[in-house]
Amino acid sequence: MRPCDIVDDIKKEAHQKYGKEFKNEPVTDTGYPLVPITIFLSADNTAAGEVSEEILWRLGDPAWEPKAVAGRFCQDMGLPAEKEKEVEGQILYALQPFLKWKDLGGRRLVLMKIYARNGSEVLVDEVVWNLNDPLSTSYAYAAQMCESLKLSFPWFEAVNEYVQRRLDEYIQDLREDPAAVDLIEPEAGKPIELEEGVPRVEKYETENDYEAERKKRRNQRKGI
């Protein structure tokens, strides 16, 4: 089986097959962020046996259209044309965490305190977050925290929802009121000081509700 070389070579034929315009323009890795996409087909579904490949998707590149890439993938891997729909579905599913990403122009670093509540407990953390990194998703962060701290699925849902809401607020503020976002730029060789003892899970106490105070300050600033 030939190795999949989609990252380096999306051919004109794949786009023409689906009636898509193909722009033969040079695209560099720095021009479009690369995000990992895993495609898996079980041995029961293919005559060629199990297929498991990770490709790097050029996020935001108009030439990278899921249906066309699925066609090229099947062509490269020697898979029948009827598998293209299944591959396309896997690509679309894998792209879900990255769909909200829009290029903000260079890195945008913020020092974000996380205070995600799940019932009578909260996850407390403090992280330096690049708002312009498509790989920095709420989904990935929540999964990492649950793995590191051995947290249950309800925690994943709570953390994912909280972080995504915070990221949406940051992006909204950057577009509507950039001065309201405290962007940071670390000095070379000088680490950023973070809160000690994080991440941690602690008992929720109303009088120490960081999130309630944060929302209050934000609403006052926006005149709500």
Side-chain angles (χ1 to χ4, degrees):
M1 183 178 295
R2 290 181 297 156
C4 177
D5 59 353
I6 287 180
V7 172
D8 298 318
D9 186 19
I10 291 290
K11 285 190 175 178
K12 185 175 182 179
E13 291 89 333
H15 293 267
Q16 289 178 331
K17 180 177 180 180
Y18 295 101
K20 297 289 183 180
E21 180 183 2
F22 180 84
K23 297 181 180 180
N24 190 19
E25 300 173 351
V27 177
T28 64
D29 289 352
T30 55
Y32 297 102
L34 299 177
V35 298
I37 300 293
T38 299
I39 298 173
F40 176 81
L41 301 174
S42 69
D44 294 337
N45 289 342
T46 69
E50 182 179 288
V51 174
S52 180
E53 290 286 338
E54 184 174 88
I55 65 175
L56 294 177
W57 188 274
R58 294 188 191 277
L59 196 63
D61 185 346
W64 281 62
E65 199 274 338
K67 182 176 288 188
V69 174
R72 177 58 201 275
F73 180 88
C74 290
Q75 183 184 84
D76 277 3
M77 303 303 290
L79 300 173
E82 56 264 28
K83 292 300 175 186
E84 293 179 12
K85 191 69 176 178
E86 183 177 355
V87 172
E88 180 189 359
Q90 291 196 19
I91 291 173
L92 291 171
Y93 179 80
L95 286 174
Q96 286 297 318
F98 310 111
L99 292 182
K100 287 190 174 184
W101 181 82
K102 300 293 182 183
D103 190 3
L104 300 172
R107 69 177 184 175
R108 296 288 187 272
L109 301 181
V110 293
L111 185 61
M112 179 165 62
K113 180 166 182 176
I114 293 171
Y115 192 85
R117 183 180 175 185
N118 179 32
S120 61
E121 296 179 309
V122 291
L123 170 71
V124 180
D125 197 7
E126 189 172 41
V127 296
V128 176
W129 198 290
N130 183 1
L131 300 174
N132 202 35
D133 180 2
L135 293 178
S136 295
T137 65
S138 59
Y139 186 97
Y141 174 82
Q144 179 185 353
M145 286 299 99
C146 287
E147 181 179 3
S148 299
L149 301 178
K150 309 302 180 186
L151 302 176
S152 61
F153 184 71
W155 272 109
F156 171 82
E157 293 180 308
V159 174
N160 181 48
E161 186 278 332
Y162 174 83
V163 173
Q164 186 57 61
R165 177 162 45 82
R166 291 291 306 278
L167 294 177
D168 289 343
E169 290 178 356
Y170 274 123
I171 299 302
Q172 180 185 16
D173 289 346
L174 276 175
R175 290 170 178 161
E176 297 177 357
D177 186 13
V181 181
D182 293 326
L183 296 177
I184 61 175
E185 192 58 44
E187 297 180 24
K190 185 177 180 180
I192 297 175
E193 294 185 6
L194 301 175
E195 180 179 340
E196 294 184 359
V198 294
R200 67 178 182 270
V201 173
E202 63 185 28
K203 183 179 179 181
Y204 171 74
E205 297 177 340
T206 306
E207 60 272 22
N208 295 324
D209 192 333
Y210 164 82
E211 183 61 12
E213 287 298 316
R214 187 196 68 81
K215 284 183 178 179
K216 181 179 178 180
R217 292 193 303 270
R218 186 171 188 270
N219 289 340
Q220 288 175 341
R221 175 173 55 80
K222 296 177 72 67
I224 299 176

